[in-house]
Amino acid sequence: MFVYADNAATTKISEKSLNAMLPMFTEEYGNPSSLHTVGQKAKEYLEDARARVAKCINASPNGIYFTSGGSEADNQALRSAAYMGRCKGKNHIISSKFEHHAILHTLNALEKEGFEVTLLEVYSDGVVKPKDVENAITDKTCLVTIMTANNEIGTIQPIKEIGAICRSKGVLFHTDAVQAVGHIPVDVEEMNIDMLSMSGHKFHGPKGVGALYARKGILLTNIIEGGAQERRKRAGTENLPAICGMAAALEEAIENMEQTTEYVTNLRNKMVEGLKDIPKSRINGTMENHLPGTLNMCFEGIEGEGILLWLDQKGIAASSGSACTSGSLDPSHVLLAIGVPVEIAHGSLRLSISEYNTEEEINHIITTVPQVVSYLRKMSPVWEKMMKEEE
Ligand SMILES: *Cc1c(COP(=O)(O)O)cnc(C)c1O
């Protein structure tokens, strides 16, 4: 049996999304910037996709800029807000310790350019406190960027409240909503969001495409210079197949959201029930306000990499946290940020499921994970030492 349980890293493309892409390769292959009929037809598809994506987050189509993905949207959002701030003599940015590296590394780069960055605590429940945001804002603050839902532990942040605070203080508010869009309701008006990043491949659309939403009046800084595409804010011939695929996937996800949430939450709860009693294990972050499909656990005395390799042998594709840090032996910055001790953070496992998973697959996970954990512990000197110390 093969079980794909790594949907926070990327998802399988949906049939509807794929079918929306195919004609863009074979028939509608015009360049939207061309003046001839084929080009103008492509332009129509492009603007239609823009309007549909905008509608999905209750934005105006003029606020949607297509990018190469979530990372590019994050980079562009942060640089734009920072440089707008600098023009007004403001150089302070507020974010949190458990953001995606597309945010954290961009902030590092901006620090080298003279910006000051405050990274807020996220506490053991994995949630940023709006009060902390309020207290951190100074008259130099030009941007607050807090993710809508965390990619490793799945906790959802109080975005509406944080947005309201930023608005009342006249500070721009960006949210990396890559894990949230298509999974939970996201409304830029209701949630007081000025800028937002999304990515097609996290909601059963194609890879290499995303969008940046920026409210009217925000002056974007180009990350890619060149032609006049995307109202001169993102050069390069538009990836029309991917853009159409993303629009179709997002509409489908939102149309089915209620039933998907119920189905996936049930499977997730079953997984929690089946795994929570493994000795010396913990669930990371609160499960209260949470993405339906993500579960992050730690198992003491063993390494996440070992768990993953053995699960892979048993047909289960999972992750030890972020796909971006796998390959490095550092424990997850997210788990450290929520106060998990370093030695325990090493033994982390993220299972992220979707509506394509079945109950049978969840049963396979529930029987296999405890076997793998106890097998690895039998060979672990760390575990042996822990057990000796307990005697
Ligand atoms: C996946 C992800 C990104 C990066 O998106 P790409 O489209 O892969 O560049 C950014 N932020 C979060 C929270 C993510 O989960």
Side-chain angles (χ1 to χ4, degrees):
M1 183 184 275
F2 172 66
V3 184
Y4 185 73
D6 201 9
N7 285 277
T10 195
T11 58
K12 164 180 165 163
I13 196 162
S14 80
E15 213 171 294
K16 273 194 185 156
S17 177
L18 181 63
N19 286 333
M21 291 177 75
L22 291 175
M24 301 296 133
F25 292 110
T26 51
E27 287 150 36
E28 311 292 353
Y29 48 78
N31 184 328
S33 300
S34 300
L35 291 180
H36 46 63
T37 309
V38 199
Q40 287 310 296
K41 192 125 178 258
K43 173 94 179 152
E44 275 172 36
Y45 277 106
L46 175 67
E47 295 315 320
D48 179 60
R50 191 186 313 282
R52 287 154 59 212
V53 167
K55 190 155 178 266
C56 287
I57 57 167
N58 192 25
S60 145
N62 286 333
I64 299 292
Y65 299 82
F66 290 117
T67 66
S68 68
S71 299
E72 187 188 325
D74 282 344
N75 275 256
Q76 190 166 17
L78 268 48
R79 286 195 183 272
S80 301
Y83 299 150
M84 273 176 76
R86 193 162 62 189
C87 290
K88 297 181 203 148
K90 296 182 177 195
N91 70 338
H92 179 229
I93 302 171
I94 299 168
S95 187
S96 80
K97 287 186 176 169
F98 77 161
E99 298 293 314
H100 191 273
H101 284 127
I103 298 290
L104 293 176
H105 290 175
T106 304
L107 292 176
N108 285 344
L110 287 169
E111 274 181 319
K112 292 198 183 105
E113 296 177 27
F115 287 90
E116 279 178 32
V117 176
T118 301
L119 295 182
L120 298 175
E121 287 297 329
V122 279
Y123 307 96
S124 59
D125 59 359
V127 182
V128 175
K129 307 261 178 296
K131 198 81 200 158
D132 288 349
V133 176
E134 189 165 9
N135 292 338
I137 292 177
T138 71
D139 55 4
K140 290 279 185 199
T141 309
C142 56
L143 169 68
V144 170
T145 173
I146 303 287
M147 68 203 315
T148 310
N150 184 270
N151 48 305
E152 292 191 32
I153 58 176
T155 51
I156 297 170
Q157 307 304 309
I159 292 305
K160 182 178 172 176
E161 290 80 356
I162 295 171
I165 290 166
C166 294
R167 191 145 303 170
S168 77
K169 303 254 183 185
V171 175
L172 280 181
F173 177 48
H174 166 260
T175 185
D176 174 341
V178 171
Q179 289 288 330
V181 169
H183 297 274
I184 59 172
V186 174
D187 179 323
V188 295
E189 290 304 326
E190 198 206 305
M191 294 162 82
N192 307 307
I193 296 166
D194 296 318
M195 302 170 101
L196 170 147
S197 308
M198 69 167 87
S199 173
H201 73 107
K202 300 292 174 77
F203 47 76
H204 304 287
K207 295 166 183 56
V209 66
L212 169 62
Y213 161 72
R215 188 174 291 283
K216 194 169 179 228
I218 292 176
L219 180 65
L220 293 185
T221 297
N222 285 52
I223 302 294
I224 312 280
E225 299 282 0
Q229 291 90 356
E230 298 298 295
R231 277 159 284 129
R232 299 185 182 276
K233 295 306 172 193
R234 203 285 181 182
T237 302
E238 300 86 348
N239 186 351
L240 199 53
I243 288 168
C244 292
M246 175 166 76
L250 184 52
E251 280 179 335
E252 186 183 12
I254 286 172
E255 203 173 300
N256 301 334
M257 191 177 284
E258 212 167 310
Q259 72 196 69
T260 303
T261 300
E262 193 188 332
Y263 176 77
V264 176
T265 303
N266 279 336
L267 290 186
R268 204 257 334 267
N269 289 344
K270 197 176 153 92
M271 209 155 62
V272 170
E273 278 308 304
L275 301 179
K276 74 177 176 22
D277 294 329
I278 295 178
K280 301 262 180 217
S281 72
R282 63 167 80 189
I283 291 174
N284 294 312
T286 174
M287 291 308 276
E288 239 157 62
N289 207 357
H290 206 277
L291 291 175
T294 307
L295 174 64
N296 190 308
M297 294 184 74
C298 281
F299 305 100
E300 293 182 34
I302 53 179
E303 295 282 333
E305 283 73 18
I307 307 173
L308 291 190
L309 294 178
W310 275 101
L311 287 180
D312 192 39
Q313 289 288 308
K314 307 271 181 188
I316 299 169
S319 160
S320 62
S322 159
C324 315
T325 46
S326 58
S328 86
L329 284 175
D330 296 336
S332 145
H333 73 286
V334 172
L335 296 182
L336 298 183
I338 64 168
V340 177
V342 179
E343 62 284 5
I344 297 178
H346 273 292
S348 63
L349 172 67
R350 179 185 68 188
L351 295 157
S352 46
I353 57 172
S354 81
E355 62 270 43
Y356 292 90
N357 290 109
T358 64
E359 187 143 2
E360 208 188 352
E361 292 176 357
I362 301 305
N363 288 333
H364 184 54
I365 290 177
I366 295 171
T367 49
T368 309
V369 171
Q371 286 170 1
V372 166
V373 168
S374 76
Y375 174 77
L376 287 170
R377 280 175 173 172
K378 273 187 201 127
M379 303 188 302
S380 158
V382 179
W383 178 255
E384 195 183 355
K385 188 161 165 271
M386 274 173 61
M387 290 298 103
K388 279 226 175 83
E389 280 167 3
E390 281 205 353
E391 275 169 14

